[in-house]
């Protein structure tokens, strides 16, 4: 049985508002963005002057202009997760990381994080982009419990605003930057225990969401949106039946792609607003960090016995879920 | 118990010779072929390197003969053929890539697309020790969680991240991919009897590849980390598994031939039992050791023990101990 002992987040400070995007004069408006995707604001590692003056035409320049690195975000999130778990980073025996916007392609992002945190245990990347929370929990659940160290640090961090073409009205409105981290243990009980996990992919559709190493993010928006809603609804429905989820007290967290997509899912499954946690409206889509960051932001509100379903989808195309139950 | 059912490898057709590099690279204090390498496999042409010295790494996308995924696809198809299975039989794709063409989706998902398979696929990545990581992870999993057939692949085009202005890196690195088909339910030509994977993040800065820049390897990386760590882990594999050094075959990490010949000599492994191909294709990081195994696949004799060592960026290292089950 896996437990989550603590969670943390970190976000950059630059606000990218709908008004700012409208003022870029790229064929969109504050009203249109709100109506279509329901995002009010994004947080970015890029200085606003840089975005305005360059539109980030060359992502290579974004790395130099950024106020902080993706690894720095991951480190801050990890420190908070350790603090909430009541452990020191030095207690961590394994680091697994999911990062779709690394500053270096070798060593792995997990190894860079471990170096910064002074962790001497093993470190490697377990990568699938957006559904990282489901993959990491399912990946760790595959281990014989005795093969895992006492504490595992999972991190998902992304700075996709650095790969956005700010002449592209769709991509400009979607992305934010952030990091989430969580401490997992098979040996120590924690606030949340994992009661079900699932992860899979359909690689035949992997070209639907792409971040070119030397280029920008691009996606087949309509196809991805349809896939995301349909697949998440399937995941939720299956687990509702299997575990008799009660949306009057249990919590749903979806992939933080956009607010209107999440609304389609919650409307379909009749999940009330007060039992639906999200952060995309104020931070933007943080790729794999979004869902776990949302959970981490509500860490202190989790009620004993409450079940939390995290159902996530994204690049790959891949999807998965983790059903958690709070300790009584 | 894990078995290897099939192995495959792929290199691009291009080769960079010592004589070519001698005419392009400022040697400084280093000298041609200093790691015992005579030629390197590369997706880059001699014309491009001579003209541009690869000063702007993004240019390689336009001029490379193959992508890392082209190479991993070829290695995978060969591994599947040697395993006698079809892509439809696979239940899990694990991959690693040190020079991705795209940072999203994962390399495993790109391979899955080439194979037209709808199965779980993700990257399990540690730069140069992907195979040791993949195998040691599967050995740590509950048996019921391992599908009947797992593909493990590693690929990289390190030459696309080398600056051909100066230094030893142009002489060391090559490009390539390798793949293995693993099964916990079917017996294969090789049985895996042990594996280990370690990382030492404190020394991560010894060896790095910038997303938008060049590969840098500290001159100390080989002598202070790769060589001693490889030897320590090799000795551990021998002691833990009571292996006979007189008869075991050793595949080194393919980073330096002189250095690894010294390790072999100190440990007591004879030159004929020390397998390598670094001198012919250069170091392709994670893929390299399994390309050597793949080249020897047809000559394995029942009862042979093979230790495959990995080491490189991370810093990370590991080993896999195989025992041949058939002639």
């Amino acid at each position: 049985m896996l437990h989550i002992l603590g969670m943390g987040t970190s976000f950059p400070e630059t606000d990218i508002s709908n008004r700012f995007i409208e003022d870029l004069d790229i064929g969109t408006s504050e009203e249109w963005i709100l109506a279509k995707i329901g995002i009010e604001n994004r947080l970015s590692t890029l200085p606003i002057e840089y975005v305005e003056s360059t539109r980030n035409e060359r992502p290579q320049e974004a790395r130099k202009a950024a106020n902080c690195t993706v690894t720095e975000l991951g480190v801050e999130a990890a420190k908070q997760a350790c603090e909430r778990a009541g452990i020191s980073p030095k207690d961590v025996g394994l680091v697994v990381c999911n990062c779709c916007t690394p500053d270096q392609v070798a060593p792995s992002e997990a190894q860079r994080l471990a170096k910064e945190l002074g962790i001497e245990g093993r470190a490697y990347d377990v990568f699938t982009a957006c559904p990282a929370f489901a993959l990491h929990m399912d990946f760790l659940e595959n281990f014989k419990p005795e093969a895992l160290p006492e504490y595992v640090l999972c991190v998902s961090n992304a700075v996709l605003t650095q790969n956005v073409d700010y002449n592209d009205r769709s991509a400009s409105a979607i992305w934010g930057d952030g990091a989430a981290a969580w401490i997992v243990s098979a040996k120590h009980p924690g606030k949340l225990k994992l009661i079900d996990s699932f992860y899979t992919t359909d690689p035949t559709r992997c070209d639907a969401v792409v971040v070119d190493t030397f280029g920008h993010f691009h996606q087949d928006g309509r196809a991805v949106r349809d896939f995301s809603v349909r697949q998440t609804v399937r995941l939720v429905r299956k687990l509702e039946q299997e575990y008799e989820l009660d949306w009057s007290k249990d919590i749903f967290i979806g992939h933080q792609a956009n607010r209107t997509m999440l609304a389609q899912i919650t409307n379909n499954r009749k999940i009330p607003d007060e039992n639906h946690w999200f952060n995309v409206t104020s931070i933007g889509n943080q790729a794999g960090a979004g869902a776990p960051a949302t959970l981490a932001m509500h860490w202190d509100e989790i009620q004993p016995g409450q079940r939390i379903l995290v159902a996530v989808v994204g690049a790959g195309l891949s999807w998965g879920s983790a059903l958690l139950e709070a300790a009584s | 118990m894990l078995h290897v059912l099939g192995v495959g490898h792929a290199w691009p057709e291009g080769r960079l010779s010592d004589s070519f590099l001698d005419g392009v690279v400022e040697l400084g204090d280093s000298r041609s072929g200093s790691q015992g390498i005579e030629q390197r496999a590369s997706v880059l042409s001699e014309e491009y390197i001579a003209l541009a010295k690869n000063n702007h790494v993004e240019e390689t996308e336009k001029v490379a003969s193959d992508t890392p995924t082209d190479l991993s696809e070829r290695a995978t198809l060969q591994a599947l053929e040697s395993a006698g299975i079809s892509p439809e039989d696979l239940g899990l794709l694990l991959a690693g890539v040190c020079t991705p063409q795209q940072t999203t989706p994962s390399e495993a998902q790109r391979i899955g697309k080439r194979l037209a398979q709808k199965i779980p696929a993700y990257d399990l990545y540690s730069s140069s020790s992907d195979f040791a990581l993949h195998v040691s992870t599967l050995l740590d999993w509950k048996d019921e969680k391992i599908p009947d057939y797992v593909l493990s692949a590693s690929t990289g085009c390190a030459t696309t991240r080398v600056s051909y202005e100066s230094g030893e890196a142009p002489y060391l690195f090559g490009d390539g991919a390798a793949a293995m088909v693993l099964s916990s339910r079917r017996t294969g030509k090789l049985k895996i009897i042990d594996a280990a994977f370690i990382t030492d993040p404190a020394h991560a800065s010894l060896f790095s590849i910038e997303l938008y820049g060049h590969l840098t390897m500290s001159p100390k990386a080989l002598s202070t980390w790769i060589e001693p760590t490889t030897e320590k882990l090799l000795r551990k594999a021998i002691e833990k598994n009571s292996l006979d050094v007189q008869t075991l075959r050793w595949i080194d990490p393919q980073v330096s031939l002189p250095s690894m010949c010294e390790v072999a000599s100190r440990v007591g492994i004879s030159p004929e039992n020390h397998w390598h191909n670094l001198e012919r294709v250069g170091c392709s990081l994670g893929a390299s050791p399994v390309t050597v195994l793949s080249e020897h696949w047809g000559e394995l004799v029942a009862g042979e023990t093979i230790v495959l060592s990995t080491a490189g960026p991370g810093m990370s290292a590991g080993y896999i101990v195989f025992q041949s089950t058939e002639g």
Side-chain angles (χ1 to χ4, degrees), chain B residues 73-287:
Chain B
E73 179 188 10
R74 282 172 12 217
T76 294
L77 292 174
Q78 189 184 3
L80 290 168
E81 190 181 343
S82 82
I85 67 167
S86 67
E88 290 74 26
D89 296 320
L90 291 170
L92 175 63
L93 303 176
L94 300 175
V97 57
C98 57
T99 56
Q101 195 182 14
Q102 300 160 336
T103 56
T104 298
S106 68
E107 178 65 16
Q109 288 155 355
R110 284 189 291 272
I111 295 171
K113 179 177 172 61
R114 300 284 183 100
L115 299 176
Q117 294 309 302
K118 299 180 181 183
I119 54 173
Y122 53 87
D123 284 358
L124 200 51
Y125 174 63
S126 178
S127 314
S128 59
S129 290
D130 293 338
F131 287 110
L133 169 60
H134 294 178
V135 169
S136 62
T137 297
L138 292 171
L139 288 176
D140 281 343
W141 278 8
K142 301 163 194 160
D143 287 344
E144 69 272 19
K145 297 289 187 178
I146 305 174
D148 287 354
Y149 300 101
V150 179
L151 180 83
S152 162
S154 181
T155 183
C157 295
T159 67
T160 62
R161 300 312 180 93
V162 167
S163 165
Y164 288 88
E165 287 284 0
S166 61
E168 291 194 25
Y171 289 93
L172 175 56
F173 292 99
D175 304 332
M180 296 195 290
V181 174
L182 305 167
S183 178
S184 62
R185 293 175 184 78
R186 235 189 77 189
T187 303
K189 194 166 187 173
L190 290 177
K191 179 169 69 176
I192 293 172
I193 58 174
D194 190 21
F197 167 78
I198 64 155
T199 54
D200 179 6
H203 291 97
S205 52
L206 282 175
F207 196 159
S208 62
I209 305 175
E210 299 299 318
L211 180 69
Y212 295 129
H214 289 113
L215 174 158
T216 54
M217 181 173 159
S218 161
K220 294 179 186 170
L222 184 62
S223 60
T224 65
W225 204 92
I226 294 173
E227 183 179 322
T229 306
T230 300
E231 182 170 344
K232 185 177 152 191
L233 286 174
L234 175 60
R235 288 184 186 279
K236 181 185 167 191
I238 291 168
E239 190 179 329
K240 184 180 170 194
N241 297 287
S242 304
L243 305 179
D244 178 3
V245 290
Q246 305 297 319
T247 58
L248 74 82
R249 310 284 197 178
W250 182 46
I251 298 171
D252 75 55
Q254 313 300 307
V255 182
S256 162
L257 193 51
S259 165
M260 293 303 144
C261 285
E262 283 181 29
V263 171
S265 173
R266 286 196 294 269
V267 173
I269 296 166
S270 63
E272 61 271 22
N273 283 342
H274 176 197
W275 288 350
H276 44 82
N277 61 20
L278 182 73
E279 65 279 13
R280 289 181 286 114
V281 288
C283 170
S284 55
L285 293 168

Side-chain angles (χ1 to χ4, degrees), chain A residues 116-177:
Chain A
E116 294 305 316
L117 291 161
I119 293 170
E120 293 174 356
R122 296 198 293 178
Y124 52 83
D125 286 355
V126 182
F127 176 66
T128 187
C130 300
F133 188 75
L135 172 59
H136 283 187
M137 296 310 292
D138 198 54
F139 174 77
L140 294 174
E141 176 63 18
N142 288 343
F143 281 79
K144 299 165 195 158
E146 66 273 19
L148 287 173
E150 295 213 14
Y151 302 105
V152 180
L153 168 64
C154 299
V155 179
S156 190
N157 49 349
V159 289
L160 271 155
T161 67
Q162 297 184 20
N163 285 85
V164 166
D165 173 1
Y166 282 92
N167 287 312
D168 175 343
R169 65 180 180 178
S170 297
S172 300
I174 297 171
W175 294 103
D177 300 336

Side-chain angles (χ1 to χ4, degrees), chain A residues 5 81-83 85-95 117-122 148-153 183-185 187-188:
Chain A
L5 280 61
C82 286
E83 192 180 330
I87 65 167
S88 154
K90 295 204 180 298
D91 297 324
V92 171
L94 170 63
V95 183
L117 291 161
I119 293 170
E120 293 174 356
R122 296 198 293 178
L148 287 173
E150 295 213 14
Y151 302 105
V152 180
L153 168 64
I183 301 293
V184 175
S185 179
K187 299 180 174 70
H188 299 279

